[in-house]
Amino acid sequence: MESWAVGFEGDDDVERHAGIGTEAPAKPRLRVRMVSDYICPWCFVGLARIERLGEEFDLDLEACAYNLRPGVPPEGLPRDEAYRGRQFPEGYRERLRQTAREAGIEMISPPVVANTFKAHEATEFAAEQGQLRPFHRAVFEAYWERGENIGDIEVLCSITAACGLDSHALRQALAEDRYAQRVEDQMAWARAAGLGGVPTFIFEENFALVGAQDYELFADVARRIHSGALKAEG
């Protein structure tokens, strides 16, 4: 005689129904290399959007340095001087601020266009300590939300300490130029790869997106790469 029952089958069944001893499915791993410079406002917007992928993927974010303004002196340039004579399309700045606001960023115009080489070196220091993502975001926030000169070593040390890292160790590393060659190599790689714009996001070393694209496009590319439906040509 066939029969069926609805109920619990001992302690294991109780735990299963209570959610005890069960784990959520592991998120698929996604490696993304972000080629950017801290003085690029769209890079900050792009970072905020790519970070959202962490809700769906185990995001392995790498930073690759780019030198957007190679002529800026170590102390930086006043913004008015750096952009003297440059014309922006009508409404550009307001559209940028609105786009940033939608990404959770209250963006200002920093008074100084910073030389970011030391900031990129500090990023390598943070990455070596396993704190790339919080430090990466913190530098963008310091520059674009608070207007701090991120070319200043004291500013970088303050950001480092706020991220729970050893600011004295960073100061020593910067004094020794410990990460300078690594940053130079990253910039050289970007030039050799023909990357003419930032931000550029390279997914799993085989597909690149340029610009602070809409989140839906980032998510679509990530899903299609993970499923094997999207592969780079050549």
Side-chain angles (χ1 to χ4, degrees):
M1 181 178 65
E2 295 182 0
S3 66
W4 61 274
V6 177
F8 295 102
E9 300 174 359
D11 291 342
D12 290 343
D13 201 49
V14 171
E15 290 184 357
R16 185 172 69 252
H17 281 77
I20 301 172
T22 61
E23 296 181 359
K27 295 179 182 179
R29 180 181 176 276
L30 180 69
R31 181 184 177 192
V32 180
R33 179 183 301 172
M34 178 179 175
V35 185
S36 66
D37 197 2
Y38 288 114
I39 60 171
C40 166
W42 295 107
C43 291
F44 192 9
V45 174
L47 174 64
R49 288 178 173 167
I50 208 75
E51 285 175 335
R52 285 183 60 189
L53 289 176
E55 299 171 6
E56 186 173 344
F57 295 89
D58 179 11
L59 184 61
D60 180 5
L61 185 65
E62 301 177 8
C64 180
Y66 190 91
N67 192 354
L68 194 60
R69 297 291 297 268
V72 174
E75 67 276 12
L77 280 175
R79 177 163 293 274
D80 291 345
E81 180 179 342
Y83 289 99
R84 183 176 296 141
R86 181 169 178 179
Q87 298 294 320
F88 292 92
E90 184 177 353
Y92 169 81
R93 288 188 175 88
E94 184 51 41
R95 284 196 297 273
L96 171 59
R97 288 191 177 94
Q98 180 58 35
T99 302
R101 194 170 296 119
E102 291 168 359
I105 301 165
E106 289 299 327
M107 188 171 285
I108 65 171
S109 294
V112 172
V113 175
N115 180 309
T116 56
F117 195 89
K118 290 297 182 185
H120 289 305
E121 288 185 75
T123 302
E124 291 303 304
F125 170 84
E128 206 168 76
Q129 309 303 313
Q131 295 296 315
L132 168 64
R133 287 177 62 180
F135 184 83
H136 198 37
R137 169 170 270 277
V139 177
F140 274 113
E141 290 174 344
Y143 187 67
W144 285 109
E145 295 188 326
R146 300 194 299 275
E148 298 176 7
N149 184 356
I150 55 173
D152 188 320
I153 291 176
E154 295 305 320
V155 170
L156 293 172
C157 286
S158 177
I159 297 170
T160 300
C163 290
L165 297 171
D166 187 342
S167 61
H168 298 291
L170 172 66
R171 192 186 303 276
Q172 182 65 30
L174 294 179
E176 297 172 357
D177 294 327
R178 193 180 305 164
Y179 300 99
Q181 189 59 55
R182 194 179 301 181
V183 171
E184 291 281 10
D185 289 346
Q186 291 175 3
M187 292 178 175
W189 175 86
R191 291 192 298 270
L195 302 184
V198 288
T200 295
F201 298 91
I202 303 171
F203 291 74
E204 296 292 349
E205 298 295 339
N206 70 1
F207 191 88
L209 279 178
V210 180
Q213 304 289 345
D214 290 340
Y215 172 73
E216 289 72 18
L217 181 56
F218 282 127
D220 180 62
V221 168
R223 291 165 190 155
R224 292 170 67 189
I225 287 177
H226 180 255
S227 69
L230 184 62
K231 295 181 180 179
E233 297 181 359

